[in-house]
Amino acid sequence: MDQTTILLTILGMAVVTYVPRVIPLLALSGRRLPEVVIAWLGYVPPAVLAAMLLPSLVVSDGQLAIDAGNMFLWAALPTFAAAILTRNLFVPVLVGMAVVIVGRLLLI
């Protein structure tokens, strides 16, 4: 692949990434969104995170893995509980790491 193709690919990816972000910004600048829309948008980040995270927790080797041997699924449960209870980013990371470490030590 020559340098021109690489440069055009990078520029094309930049445009495709930039345009969807700038169009709503320009269309909505100076306008006040209704409260229901603002409340609904607050659910978008957790929904996207859940959509990305759930398959990695319940699928292993292309098969549904909801069983006792799925250590990451079991580690996710106290991690989610710690996140909800503490509303902190650091504590759930520590809880998840600790559960995985203990699980690996006990299961190996």
Side-chain angles (χ1 to χ4, degrees):
M1 193 178 281
D2 64 342
Q3 296 297 323
T4 304
T5 305
I6 293 172
L7 180 61
L8 289 175
T9 302
I10 292 172
L11 289 175
M13 290 188 302
V15 168
V16 168
T17 301
Y18 181 73
V19 168
R21 291 186 172 123
V22 80
I23 288 175
L25 182 67
L26 294 175
L28 297 175
S29 65
R31 292 186 182 170
R32 178 83 176 136
L33 293 175
E35 291 299 320
V36 69
V37 173
I38 293 172
W40 179 79
L41 287 173
Y43 291 108
V44 171
V48 170
L49 179 62
M52 292 185 330
L53 185 60
L54 186 65
S56 67
L57 292 177
V58 298
V59 176
S60 178
D61 296 327
Q63 301 293 323
L64 192 61
I66 302 176
D67 56 12
N70 188 346
M71 180 176 37
F72 296 114
L73 178 60
W74 289 109
L77 299 176
T79 303
F80 291 148
I84 290 169
L85 292 173
T86 64
R87 302 276 183 197
N88 189 325
L89 291 175
F90 189 65
V91 173
V93 169
L94 291 177
V95 169
M97 288 173 51
V99 172
V100 169
I101 289 169
V102 169
R104 287 191 180 211
L105 288 174
L106 293 178
L107 295 176
I108 293 179

